[in-house]
Amino acid sequence: MANTIIRRREALLSASAALGTSLLGTPPAFAGGADTGTREKFSFLFITDTHLQPELDAQKGCRMCFRQASGEAADFVLQGGDHVFDAMEVTHERAGKLLDLYEMTEQILGKKVYHTVGNHDCFGVYASSGCSTGDPEFGKNYFRKAFGETYYAFVHKGVHFIVLDSVTITPDRDYEGRISAEQVAWLKAYLSAIPTGTPLIISSHIPIVTAFYTYADESPSLFKHQALSTVNTREILQLIASHNVLAVLQGHTHVLERVVHGGIPFITGGAVSGNWWHGTHLGTPEGYMVVHVNGNHVSTEYRTYGFRSVDPKNT
């Protein structure tokens, strides 16, 4: 079955149709009965935190990674966010060049790519960038220009993929991990409209569930806002608890981690950039994940690709 993308507005309309509040019809995302668990198995790539920049041989590293990934037996790529480093506190000119560099490099993958917004993919957030909040590319508009909506859903071989936007820009021009109220309403509508047992895989850049705080030096007290996990995790967990969530894929912390909560595996996928192009981060080297979906089971393999930092600072 070909990938069918359901953008935010279309999904809202479709959810209304499925709930009997509209006569617009039912698109593929909501078709069919309860899941039978006998779907065709497939694999895809979860590639996150590329942090592409001209410095530290980052372009060379990304090209190495993408060339290797292009040879994987995978149906598509799910990019987990932080495509560039960094759009948050740089000039308009620098941010544009970074995005151009990323889009050019991504072509090496040779596969369909679905994108998740990361905090570093938001332009001019910090006042030090010199960017006005009235700039047409301010914040997530920078991401939207290149990749489209920041949250949406698509269907592949019977599995519904829900891509969430876990980055909230705060009034003081900072950011926190949060799934917005508007997005929560969209998610509720989507989940209520699909048949019981429908298999789901969720992508979120900032982790929803993580053990990172227990072993990393980055204490929550070091940040003005909650930046390493989502503020409203409990709300999201309650929403998805009764659904057939095969996995939640996450980025942001640059570690390879699997935490199972309520029977749902929350898998953080390492980072293409490792320790921001300085080697390994908390034992996780530069790499990406191959994700295998077989019925209602998800398994992963982490692949490294041989990059050597010009300025190693392993953590």
Side-chain angles (χ1 to χ4, degrees), residues 85-117:
F85 192 72
D86 159 80
M88 296 182 76
E89 57 178 340
V90 299
T91 64
H92 208 287
E93 182 183 12
R94 167 80 174 187
K97 288 179 178 178
L98 289 174
L99 195 54
D100 289 345
L101 185 61
Y102 179 84
E103 291 186 294
M104 177 181 67
T105 307
E106 188 184 80
Q107 294 177 27
I108 297 171
L109 286 168
K111 303 178 189 296
K112 170 66 180 175
V113 182
Y114 296 96
H115 299 270
T116 309
V117 66

Side-chain angles (χ1 to χ4, degrees), residues 219-257:
S219 165
S221 62
L222 296 176
F223 299 88
K224 188 175 181 180
H225 301 281
Q226 185 168 315
L228 296 177
S229 62
T230 52
V231 172
N232 55 333
T233 288
R234 290 185 181 182
E235 181 180 23
I236 303 305
L237 292 179
Q238 289 173 357
L239 262 182
I240 66 176
S242 61
H243 295 273
N244 184 22
V245 181
L246 307 187
V248 177
L249 303 178
Q250 310 172 140
H252 195 51
T253 60
H254 295 218
V255 298
L256 185 61
E257 178 190 76

Side-chain angles (χ1 to χ4, degrees), residues 169-202:
I169 299 172
T170 58
D172 60 349
R173 296 187 69 166
D174 204 335
Y175 79 93
E176 67 178 1
R178 181 186 295 274
I179 310 298
S180 68
E182 177 193 55
Q183 194 175 172
V184 169
W186 171 82
L187 182 58
K188 284 180 180 177
Y190 192 98
L191 293 176
S192 67
I194 58 178
T196 302
T198 298
L200 304 169
I201 293 177
I202 297 171

